[in-house]
Amino acid sequence: HLLLFLLFVGPFNCFASYSRATELFYSLNEGLPAGVLIGSLARDLRLPTAVGQNPASLQPPLSFTLASHGLGGQYVQLDNRSGELHTSAVEIDREALCVESSEATIFGGSAAVSSSSPSPESCLLLLDVLVLPQEYFRLVKVKIAIRDVNDNAPRFPVPHIRLLVPENAPVNTRLAIEHPALDPDMGTNGVQTYRLRDNYGVFTLDVEENENGERTPYLIVMGALDRETQDEYVTVIIAEDGGTPPLVGSATLTIGISDINDNCPQFNDSQLNVTVYGNSSLGTHVATVHAVDVDLGSNAQITYSYSQKVPQPSRDLFHLNESTGAITLSTKVDGDTPRLHRLIILGNGPGCIPAVITVLVTIIKVMMRPPEVVPRFIANEVEGVVYLKELEPINTPVAFFTIKDPDEKYKVSCYLDGDGPFRLSPYKPYNNEYLLETTKPLDFETQQLYEISVVAWNSEGFHVKKVVKIQVLDDNDNSPVFSEQLIELSIEENNVPNAFLTKLHATDADSGERGQVSYFLGPDAPSYFALDKTTGVLTVSTQLDREEKEKYRYTVKAVDSGFPPRESIATVTITVLDKNDNSPRFINKDFSFFVPENFPGFGEIGVISVTDADAGQNGWVALSVLNGSDIFVIDTGKGVLRAKVSLDREQQSSYVLWIEAVDGGDPALSSTAKITILLLDINDNPPLVLFPQSNMSYLLVLPSTLPGSPITEVYAVDKDTGMNAVIAYSIIGRRGPRPESFRIDPKTGNITLEESLMQNDYGLYRLLVKVSDHGYPEPLHSTVMVNLFVNDTVSNESYIESLLRKEPDISVEEKQPQISIEPTHKKMESTSCMPTLVALSIISLGSIALVTGMGIYICLRKGKKHHRADENLEVQIPLNGRINLHMLEKKPVEISNI
């Protein structure tokens, strides 16, 4: 008993108790996550914790096992070695496990879920655990109490509750609300209080709790009610539980005020005066009395009766309808009939004092008989109503009327009383016959019923009236009419299928089926538009694409159900509004531009063409350079690509740019394109002589050198490409004992000895070598002085240096160097040269086409380069003029004979 007491009054922490009865009790909240420790069986059973932990121990380790994996076992995880019990991944829901507060155990082998416990709010999870080995064997009964948490809000079983309260209900009247809120939680987490959102100052709520703890809300009347003032109150009833924080639920509460008989009949007037002619026929209407009772149903039923003060002769002469209060003449008036009758009539209501009204009837005695009006209908007549079709022609006959005097003593005349397109005229040659006919076509849509009277009077002034009702029958003479003849609609593209467009509305003035309108699409409407025949709802069944089609125009028809049917046509125009659903699109994903080097800054390199299928701002495209923006710029509007500076192919021969196109939509869409800019070479660099390095250097040539032996070489490079970098070497100036002894290979620049050297050939040879490229439109060149000293030894260098310092007297040969790709000593067949010549021709023509526009610019550059050449004697020596050798650097070069 102590353990059970601790189970329900202990703290939140899981706790346990141990006895030799091997029973353990734990408690935990519902809804805990996996891995929460419930308890340790080894510790709570006080088992030796060192068993099995010492490697040297001969005792086997402890083992904990669920006796059966039933329903209860799925909510816990048992560590077989430590005996620790944890929550599993299956969340414990107390309301699902313990639906009833009474005993409810679901067995799953030896594990079960039970709420059978001393507390009506308890919910127990029962487990059987086996402890091994044999020396510690026992069967442990584990009971886990699941505590409730406030995880459910109160909920009313119906969303709308209606309650009837009599209007005479006294203050403090209590009425039970038959649909209280339900909360699966228990105890204070269940429903605790109720309240009204608006009590109108006459209602409040109270809660009563029965023996089972169920709470029922009661509506209490706090003020006087009057159904005739307000017959219904609508408010919201709110149920709140006791959790922290509290949860609420609500439902609509309608309080209807039921009627009681608290009002009696009332007449508007206390007296009514009427006159009756003595010759009136039986059944003639005399008067109608009417009383009002503001109650409802049977409480408002009124019956009419004569007061006991009304004499019997008056009762016999005038009949009173007890339901309607109508008074009619029930017997003939004769000479003995009194001329004045006082009729006291009572208005009777259930449980009420009768209301009273007095009707004074004065009878005027008449000695003559009134004229007679005898109708004979030509048109269709049923129970006094004549039926005519609309659009009947003018002068359509309706009826004949015979007018006569029964006493045949007085002249009788007649006329037509009432409004309408009708005429009553004498029918010749008869004196007392009159024809009623139409004067213009009838129109059902203008007026459906006419009530006219044929009035006959005699010379004594006695009038008789015959009422004729004429009902106009409808004909299908009106077509449906659209509210708008031009229906202008708009819808955004990429709409959802079956999107609503509009609801067409057409009216038909005809009645019945003739006025029922059906809607149809015209033959020019696309198939993916749908029009509901009955409702006129216009939809589109597919997605519309503005880029595919922006405007739709077609007709719709409204057709009535007459015979033959009539129809009208309207025009529907639909504008598909743009959405930013298209990215900018480049004409090509890769653009390539060929630009001659030294192209002027901000010159037009090319145009990047990009389009966007969207319209308006969504179709506006802005271009930008993603990389290389420090060199290149693009006109965002026109797409013109420009370089900020002049480009030099020798520094960089090509550029790869990425251009981004961004539209003006929100959000914006973008795309990129690759731009390759290839710089075409122009001949803006003369050959650069790398060897010999100085005009003052010289080379010793031994006289024993054999003819054909290479002596030295001139080596030059050109930063240009193609034909602009093809170099030719030539000797344009010679000086020496026998200067023809040396020649230069125009292709390789190798200088060789042509003839054997003699005794007279000793001395200094000076060869002016021209190094020229094959550039277009004009080749560029450099010059260098090659100094050869023919002797056995160099015995006096100062003498040679003095000769080098002297300005040589060299005549320049104006002969242009031969352009040769192959060495001169090697012949090739003409057929093998053709491909090379064709390739060179194509390259030359291409270069000409690309640099034609740059002619002026190249000429200007060329002038500047000549000016620079004059200043750099290390590279180029002027051909026309004297050579100042003393200004050149002296750099002797010694090599052995080859």
Side-chain angles (χ1 to χ4, degrees):
H1 290 86
L2 178 60
L3 291 175
L4 290 175
F5 173 77
L6 291 175
L7 170 64
F8 296 103
V9 301
F12 172 80
N13 299 20
C14 299
F15 66 92
S17 65
Y18 169 70
S19 70
R20 301 307 298 173
T22 63
E23 244 186 20
L24 293 177
F25 295 89
Y26 299 99
S27 66
L28 76 161
N29 290 343
E30 63 173 325
L32 294 178
V36 174
L37 177 64
I38 301 173
S40 174
L41 273 64
R43 183 188 67 236
D44 297 334
L45 291 173
R46 301 174 187 171
L47 294 175
T49 57
V51 174
Q53 297 178 3
N54 187 358
S57 177
L58 299 178
Q59 296 177 348
L62 286 175
S63 173
F64 298 87
T65 308
L66 287 174
S68 176
H69 295 277
L71 176 61
Q74 65 179 322
Y75 299 103
V76 297
Q77 290 287 342
L78 177 62
D79 191 308
N80 294 337
R81 303 299 296 246
S82 66
E84 289 186 347
L85 198 61
H86 295 84
T87 56
S88 70
V90 180
E91 184 179 292
I92 298 175
D93 185 1
R94 185 185 186 282
E95 289 72 36
L97 289 175
C98 303
V99 179
E100 301 292 342
S101 61
S102 59
E103 182 175 355
T105 301
I106 305 172
F107 290 97
S110 59
V113 177
S114 172
S115 62
S116 178
S117 66
S119 173
E121 296 183 357
S122 64
C123 177
L124 293 181
L125 191 66
L126 305 180
L127 303 172
D128 290 346
V129 179
L130 296 176
V131 181
L132 296 173
Q134 185 64 34
E135 52 268 31
Y136 294 100
F137 171 76
R138 66 189 65 191
L139 176 63
V140 182
K141 298 284 187 178
V142 179
K143 295 182 180 181
I144 303 173
I146 310 301
R147 289 198 292 262
D148 182 46
V149 297
N150 191 27
D151 57 346
N152 292 280
R155 185 178 62 86
F156 286 90
V158 293
H160 190 281
I161 302 172
R162 184 170 182 84
L163 192 65
L164 286 178
V165 181
E167 64 175 324
N168 63 342
V171 175
N172 293 327
T173 298
R174 301 168 65 87
L175 296 102
I177 297 176
E178 299 298 332
H179 300 285
L182 304 176
D183 193 327
D185 296 325
M186 300 297 293
T188 58
N189 291 332
V191 178
Q192 299 297 316
T193 61
Y194 291 87
R195 67 177 184 272
L196 294 177
R197 180 172 295 173
D198 186 0
N199 58 19
Y200 295 95
V202 293
F203 299 106
T204 187
L205 287 179
D206 190 18
V207 179
E208 290 186 3
E209 185 174 355
N210 61 14
E211 298 175 353
N212 297 326
E214 297 177 350
R215 296 175 180 264
T216 302
Y218 280 80
L219 182 72
I220 302 176
V221 179
M222 302 297 293
L225 303 176
D226 185 5
R227 188 205 62 80
E228 288 73 33
T229 303
Q230 185 169 350
D231 61 353
E232 187 178 76
Y233 297 85
V234 179
T235 184
V236 175
I237 182 172
I238 300 173
E240 183 175 308
D241 63 22
T244 304
L247 303 178
V248 298
S250 63
T252 301
L253 176 62
T254 301
I255 306 171
I257 309 303
S258 60
D259 185 51
I260 64 168
N261 191 24
D262 58 345
N263 292 280
C264 291
Q266 296 289 332
F267 286 108
N268 293 330
D269 299 313
S270 61
Q271 184 172 307
L272 188 62
N273 299 319
V274 294
T275 300
V276 176
Y277 288 103
N279 60 349
S280 299
S281 58
L282 296 179
T284 298
H285 179 265
V286 177
T288 299
V289 294
H290 181 68
V292 177
D293 191 329
V294 294
D295 290 329
L296 293 177
S298 61
N299 293 331
Q301 289 183 356
I302 301 175
T303 60
Y304 302 94
S305 63
Y306 284 125
S307 171
Q308 296 295 329
K309 297 179 181 181
V310 178
Q312 191 62 41
S314 296
R315 297 182 183 219
D316 295 338
L317 182 62
F318 299 103
H319 176 264
L320 174 62
N321 189 309
E322 66 177 11
S323 298
T324 64
I327 304 172
T328 57
L329 189 64
S330 59
T331 60
K332 279 286 188 178
V333 177
D334 54 25
D336 298 330
T337 303
R339 296 183 61 186
L340 182 62
H341 296 265
R342 187 183 184 87
L343 306 177
I344 301 175
I345 300 175
L346 306 178
N348 305 293
C352 290
I353 298 174
V356 180
I357 187 172
T358 301
V359 179
L360 291 177
V361 182
T362 302
I363 298 178
I364 300 175
K365 291 188 177 181
V366 179
M367 303 305 299
M368 65 186 71
R369 288 188 293 175
E372 293 181 358
V373 179
V374 181
R376 289 171 293 169
F377 294 101
I378 302 171
N380 184 31
E381 180 266 338
V382 178
E383 297 181 356
V385 180
V386 179
Y387 294 91
L388 289 178
K389 290 184 178 181
E390 66 173 333
L391 301 181
E392 289 281 3
I394 300 176
N395 301 325
T396 296
V398 178
F400 276 115
F401 288 89
T402 301
I403 311 298
K404 61 181 179 178
D405 180 17
D407 299 326
E408 296 182 356
K409 295 189 300 183
Y410 305 99
K411 181 180 179 181
V412 180
S413 299
C414 72
Y415 65 91
L416 189 63
D417 185 23
D419 297 327
F422 302 100
R423 177 177 58 221
L424 183 67
S425 57
Y427 190 71
K428 302 297 184 181
Y430 306 104
N431 293 328
N432 59 343
E433 297 289 344
Y434 292 85
L435 177 63
L436 179 65
E437 57 186 354
T438 61
T439 58
K440 62 180 182 179
L442 304 178
D443 187 2
F444 174 85
E445 289 70 37
T446 302
Q447 188 170 345
Q448 295 86 35
L449 180 65
Y450 294 90
E451 188 171 320
I452 58 177
S453 301
V454 177
V455 182
W457 82 97
N458 58 19
S459 56
E460 296 298 322
F462 203 98
H463 291 74
V464 174
K465 182 183 295 185
K466 181 66 176 179
V467 177
V468 179
K469 294 182 178 180
I470 300 175
Q471 176 68 53
V472 181
L473 300 178
D474 188 29
D475 202 354
N476 194 31
D477 59 336
N478 291 280
S479 299
V481 177
F482 280 100
S483 56
E484 296 177 295
Q485 286 299 311
L486 178 61
I487 304 164
E488 297 179 323
L489 307 173
S490 62
I491 184 175
E492 280 193 341
E493 64 176 331
N494 304 329
N495 54 283
V496 298
N498 300 316
F500 172 84
L501 293 174
T502 189
K503 183 176 182 180
L504 303 180
H505 180 65
T507 57
D508 194 316
D510 294 324
S511 63
E513 292 184 354
R514 291 172 291 273
Q516 293 179 0
V517 179
S518 300
Y519 302 91
F520 301 94
L521 290 172
D524 53 345
S527 60
Y528 39 83
F529 288 96
L531 180 59
D532 189 279
K533 175 182 177 182
T534 305
T535 63
V537 172
L538 181 63
T539 57
V540 56
S541 61
T542 187
Q543 282 191 346
L544 299 180
D545 186 358
R546 188 204 66 83
E547 289 72 37
E548 182 179 336
K549 189 172 183 180
E550 185 176 5
K551 295 280 188 180
Y552 293 88
R553 184 184 181 93
Y554 54 86
T555 57
V556 290
K557 294 192 300 182
V559 183
D560 63 22
S561 302
F563 184 78
R566 300 174 71 98
E567 66 180 40
S568 62
I569 296 177
T571 301
V572 175
T573 63
I574 300 175
T575 301
V576 183
L577 303 179
D578 184 52
K579 291 182 70 175
N580 193 28
D581 58 342
N582 290 278
S583 301
R585 187 173 183 179
F586 289 93
I587 300 300
N588 299 309
K589 293 304 291 183
D590 294 322
F591 291 85
S592 296
F593 296 106
F594 295 88
V595 181
E597 64 174 331
N598 302 326
F599 196 65
F602 292 99
E604 181 177 323
I605 295 175
V607 177
I608 311 299
S609 298
V610 61
T611 60
D612 194 314
D614 293 322
Q617 186 171 344
N618 294 333
W620 295 350
V621 179
L623 297 174
S624 61
V625 180
L626 295 180
N627 62 324
S629 57
D630 53 338
I631 300 177
F632 297 94
V633 66
I634 190 167
D635 188 331
T636 186
K638 298 180 180 179
V640 177
L641 182 65
R642 307 175 189 272
K644 298 179 183 178
V645 297
S646 180
L647 303 177
D648 187 357
R649 190 205 63 80
E650 285 71 37
Q651 294 183 5
Q652 187 170 342
S653 61
S654 65
Y655 296 87
V656 176
L657 305 178
W658 289 97
I659 303 297
E660 182 182 37
V662 181
D663 62 22
D666 185 18
L669 300 178
S670 63
S671 60
T672 57
K674 180 181 178 183
I675 311 297
T676 302
I677 301 173
L678 301 174
L679 296 182
L680 299 176
D681 184 50
I682 63 173
N683 194 26
D684 59 343
N685 290 282
L688 176 63
V689 179
L690 301 180
F691 186 84
Q693 297 179 353
S694 171
N695 289 329
M696 295 296 291
S697 63
Y698 64 92
L699 180 68
L700 177 64
V701 180
L702 299 177
S704 60
T705 301
L706 298 177
S709 298
I711 303 301
T712 186
E713 67 170 345
V714 177
Y715 180 70
V717 294
D718 196 316
K719 294 182 180 179
D720 295 321
T721 60
M723 296 300 295
N724 295 332
V726 176
I727 298 175
Y729 302 88
S730 62
I731 298 174
I732 60 173
R734 302 169 186 265
R735 184 175 178 80
R738 190 156 55 98
E740 302 86 15
S741 300
F742 300 94
R743 66 173 297 276
I744 189 169
D745 189 301
K747 181 178 180 183
T748 64
N750 291 331
I751 298 176
T752 57
L753 180 63
E754 288 290 299
E755 300 174 358
S756 298
L757 296 174
M758 303 298 180
Q759 186 68 31
N760 297 333
D761 297 334
Y762 284 39
L764 181 64
Y765 290 79
R766 312 198 72 177
L767 305 177
L768 183 60
V769 178
K770 179 180 180 181
V771 183
S772 176
D773 60 24
H774 290 71
Y776 181 86
E778 183 175 347
L780 301 179
H781 67 273
S782 300
T783 59
V784 66
M785 186 68 74
V786 179
N787 301 303
L788 303 175
F789 184 65
V790 180
N791 202 358
D792 291 327
T793 61
V794 180
S795 58
N796 190 353
E797 290 186 4
S798 60
Y799 171 72
I800 299 174
E801 291 174 359
S802 65
L803 294 178
L804 293 176
R805 290 191 189 98
K806 293 181 181 179
E807 187 174 338
D809 185 12
I810 299 176
S811 60
V812 178
E813 302 173 2
E814 296 297 335
K815 184 176 75 170
Q816 193 74 12
Q818 297 292 326
I819 300 175
S820 174
I821 306 302
E822 296 297 327
T824 55
H825 63 270
K826 184 177 180 181
K827 260 189 169 181
M828 294 182 66
E829 296 181 1
S830 59
T831 56
S832 64
C833 294
M834 287 304 293
T836 302
L837 293 176
V838 171
L840 292 175
S841 300
I842 294 174
I843 294 173
S844 300
L845 291 175
S847 300
I848 291 171
L850 290 172
V851 303
T852 299
M854 300 299 298
I856 298 175
Y857 177 79
I858 294 173
C859 291
L860 294 174
R861 294 277 298 180
K862 176 182 174 185
K864 294 179 181 179
K865 293 183 186 298
H866 282 304
H867 178 70
R868 291 196 302 268
D870 292 338
E871 298 174 353
N872 190 0
L873 296 177
E874 184 68 23
V875 178
Q876 180 173 347
I877 299 175
L879 301 181
N880 299 319
R882 307 296 294 174
I883 302 175
N884 188 359
L885 297 179
H886 299 284
M887 297 176 62
L888 301 181
E889 178 188 356
K890 178 185 75 171
K891 190 172 183 181
V893 179
E894 296 182 7
I895 62 172
S896 59
N897 190 18
I898 301 175

